[in-house]
Amino acid sequence: MSALHAQTLQQKRHLIISTLLNEPSLISALLKGVSDNPRLAADAHLSAKCQLLEAACRDLHAADMADILESLPEDARQALWQLVPVERRGQILVEAADNIRESLTDGMSDKALLRAIEPLDLDDQAWLARFLSRDLTGRLLTTLKPRQRADLLNIIRNDVDGVARVMDFNFITVRGDIRLGVVQRFLRRKGKIPAGTDKLFVTDDKNTLLGELMLTDILLHNPEQQVSEVMNRDPVTFQLEDKGEDAASAFERYNLISAAVTGAGQQLIGRIAIEDIIDLVNQKNENNIRNMGGVSQEEDVFAPVTKAVRNRCAWLALNLCTAFVASRVIGLFENTIAHLVALATLMPIVAGIGGNTGNQTITMIVRALALRQVEPGNFSFLFLRELGVALINGILWGGMMGGITWLMYHDLAMGGVMMLAMILNLLLAAFMGVMIPLIMTKLKRDPAVGSSVLITAMTDTGGFFIFLGLATLFLLH
């Protein structure tokens, strides 16, 4: 994207958003519809503003429109949606986030939804079909040709996290028994190739994948050579049952731009392009960020307060429970704290450094799990390594903090307790930082979701118990 294009896009974005937010009367008028709206027809000012918005939206890419819609409160979003022609709505729905898509389609009739979806490519129709009612999906299927209907059902029936989610049907096939010169003439007559195409797929008359032919091979080899002589006979392919994350890892590892998706007997079904993998990774990262913060994937920044409260209640309840447990642990040592008030100022240090160590360990283990670096053979090494790191850090920083405590309170025993508590809490943090992700993986839960909450609860509770317990043993008696 050039700097000029980015500047123009930003200007249009600002114009659309500011116009809607500064004109409540325009929003209320647009919510009643654009065609045959007497209020818009009678009010010259509102009519001019409406035309200004239509002009600003006309040339925007579907992804840019989806981004603008996501940046608007609900009423303004619905008002702008009224200005989008039906034939453009389908592509915008494909680009929109799940929560925004639901918001936009709630007010559309079944007929309007079908009109919006029909012009889309088959892979985009399949993606949106996951969010349609069974009746509406059936009506969409009746508009398709038999082969397209079978392909769409193939995608819908497969796991939402599988490669079918990112598969498309925009690819070119050739036979292996023709010359490269024939392929060149075929491509020239065709006039265009699908976006993200770096190769053609070589199939037989039964649509069985035989190999792949790179575009560079078509250009650089002798036109008289046959396709079968230069094609790659052992390409990287995926099955419909494969996970999307596995496909993303393979694209990164093998520097792929596109790859074939095959079914039983190596029958070519579709392909995955790098642009779809990027979308998948970006959405996965966004979902992980939301999950780690305890925010629902469906939550919209402009959602009503009641919906936001409902979405966040579960995580807040869990945090409240863990905080209550930690407070009860402190309550067990009320007598110790009453006699040694200085302990109250030192407790947060022990808990805080333990939580930081635990989160560092969890980050490394979750990353290793994602990259499949954790195997039964190297588990003990990883476990002992993290404990060793925690022990050295505990001795180093615990010793330093113990010395500072001694200097501050002129109490050598208190400094020793501080040092020992930090060492033990860092060891606890490292132990739990390894075990929590592994246990969650064993239970088939995403280790990135909720691990930070659990490790914080463990290190807070454990840190308070260790520190105050040691203080009771060595400082009161």
Side-chain angles (χ1 to χ4, degrees):
M1 180 188 295
S2 67
L4 180 59
H5 181 268
Q7 183 179 3
T8 303
L9 174 61
Q10 186 60 32
Q11 289 172 348
K12 287 185 176 182
R13 174 188 171 89
H14 177 73
L15 172 66
I16 294 169
I17 294 176
S18 60
T19 299
L20 284 168
L21 297 184
N22 294 329
E23 294 281 352
S25 56
L26 178 60
I27 293 177
S28 60
L30 288 174
L31 287 175
K32 297 177 181 178
V34 178
S35 59
D36 301 325
N37 188 326
R39 186 173 177 185
L40 288 176
D43 192 322
H45 173 73
L46 292 182
S47 179
K49 290 290 185 181
C50 182
Q51 292 175 10
L52 180 67
L53 288 175
E54 287 180 321
C57 296
R58 189 173 297 121
D59 299 324
L60 285 176
H61 189 276
D64 296 325
M65 279 298 300
D67 179 60
I68 292 172
L69 287 163
E70 189 169 352
S71 303
L72 290 168
E74 180 64 21
D75 285 349
R77 182 185 300 155
Q78 294 296 339
L80 183 60
W81 189 238
Q82 298 300 319
L83 294 176
V84 178
V86 174
E87 59 271 14
R88 289 198 63 199
R89 288 186 173 187
Q91 196 58 52
I92 295 173
L93 290 174
V94 171
E95 300 289 347
D98 291 350
N99 54 331
I100 304 302
R101 184 186 305 111
E102 181 181 352
S103 166
L104 297 175
T105 55
D106 279 348
M108 296 178 65
S109 65
D110 288 355
K111 182 178 180 181
L113 267 173
L114 283 175
R115 285 182 59 199
I117 295 173
E118 282 176 2
L120 298 176
D121 292 336
L122 188 60
D123 54 303
D124 290 334
Q125 289 183 340
W127 171 243
L128 290 179
R130 297 184 184 277
F131 308 98
L132 302 179
S133 65
R134 182 182 295 271
D135 177 61
L136 200 55
T137 303
R139 290 169 61 182
L140 174 63
L141 289 170
T142 60
T143 66
L144 302 176
K145 297 177 180 177
R147 173 63 187 274
Q148 292 177 318
R149 191 179 306 128
D151 287 338
L152 190 141
L153 285 172
N154 237 343
I155 296 177
I156 295 176
R157 288 170 180 164
N158 277 277
D159 185 1
V160 70
D161 293 324
V163 298
R165 172 181 177 181
V166 292
M167 181 177 69
D168 69 54
F169 303 96
N170 298 319
F171 56 87
I172 300 174
T173 61
V174 294
R175 297 284 294 274
D177 56 357
I178 61 175
R179 292 179 293 109
L180 294 179
V182 175
V183 177
Q184 291 178 7
R185 290 194 296 273
F186 166 70
L187 292 177
R188 280 196 293 268
R189 284 199 307 270
K190 194 173 181 64
K192 63 178 182 179
I193 58 177
T197 297
D198 67 321
K199 64 191 66 157
L200 311 184
F201 299 114
V202 184
T203 59
D204 60 15
D205 54 358
K206 296 181 180 178
N207 200 40
T208 303
L209 181 67
L210 304 177
E212 58 187 25
L213 177 66
M214 304 298 294
L215 293 181
T216 50
D217 290 334
I218 299 173
L219 296 173
L220 300 179
H221 284 81
N222 189 331
E224 297 302 317
Q225 286 186 279
Q226 285 200 334
V227 168
S228 58
E229 295 176 26
V230 299
M231 71 179 186
N232 175 16
R233 297 179 180 274
D234 188 26
V236 176
T237 62
F238 300 97
Q239 303 289 315
L240 281 174
E241 300 78 19
D242 292 339
K243 293 291 185 182
E245 290 184 24
D246 295 337
S249 297
F251 266 70
E252 179 188 15
R253 187 179 304 116
Y254 304 122
N255 296 320
L256 300 175
I257 296 177
S258 65
V261 179
T262 59
Q266 282 294 96
Q267 297 292 305
L268 180 62
I269 298 175
R271 69 155 189 172
I272 306 173
I274 185 65
E275 60 187 29
D276 300 314
I277 291 294
I278 292 173
D279 290 341
L280 175 68
V281 171
N282 286 339
Q283 185 171 16
K284 181 67 175 177
N285 289 340
E286 180 185 346
N287 290 343
N288 283 341
I289 291 171
R290 285 173 174 263
N291 288 332
M292 285 189 287
V295 179
S296 168
Q297 296 178 17
E298 290 78 28
E299 185 167 336
D300 173 14
V301 70
F302 293 109
V305 173
T306 53
K307 183 178 180 180
V309 169
R310 189 169 58 252
N311 287 335
R312 300 183 192 185
C313 273
W315 281 101
L316 291 176
L318 177 60
N319 281 327
L320 182 61
C321 291
T322 58
F324 180 78
V325 171
S327 72
R328 288 299 82 213
V329 169
I330 296 173
L332 296 175
F333 300 95
E334 287 179 353
N335 184 54
T336 304
I337 298 172
H339 284 82
L340 296 168
V341 179
L343 298 177
T345 65
L346 298 174
M347 286 190 306
I349 299 174
V350 177
I353 197 167
N356 184 269
T357 297
N359 279 311
Q360 288 176 340
T361 303
I362 277 180
T363 300
M364 294 300 299
I365 299 300
V366 169
R367 179 181 180 276
L369 287 169
L371 297 176
R372 292 178 173 78
Q373 295 173 345
V374 178
E375 301 290 343
N378 61 20
F379 169 73
S380 58
F381 170 79
L382 290 173
F383 189 74
L384 293 174
R385 174 188 177 276
E386 290 302 322
L387 288 179
V389 171
L391 179 61
I392 293 172
N393 278 329
I395 294 172
L396 176 63
W397 299 106
M400 182 183 297
M401 198 60 217
I404 293 173
T405 302
W406 177 27
L407 292 174
M408 287 176 64
Y409 298 102
H410 308 289
D411 189 333
L412 181 60
M414 186 178 290
V417 166
M418 185 68 180
M419 175 180 175
L420 184 56
M422 288 185 65
I423 292 173
L424 293 177
N425 199 31
L426 261 63
L427 289 172
L428 172 66
F431 176 80
M432 298 308 301
V434 174
M435 294 304 297
I436 288 174
L438 292 177
I439 291 172
M440 294 184 74
T441 302
K442 190 73 174 177
L443 297 174
K444 301 190 182 304
R445 307 290 295 179
D446 187 349
V449 180
S451 292
S452 60
V453 175
L454 293 174
I455 195 66
T456 301
M458 294 289 184
T459 54
D460 282 355
T461 305
F464 293 147
F465 183 81
I466 291 169
F467 180 56
L468 295 175
L470 290 174
T472 302
L473 287 174
F474 296 110
L475 300 182
L476 286 188
H477 303 290

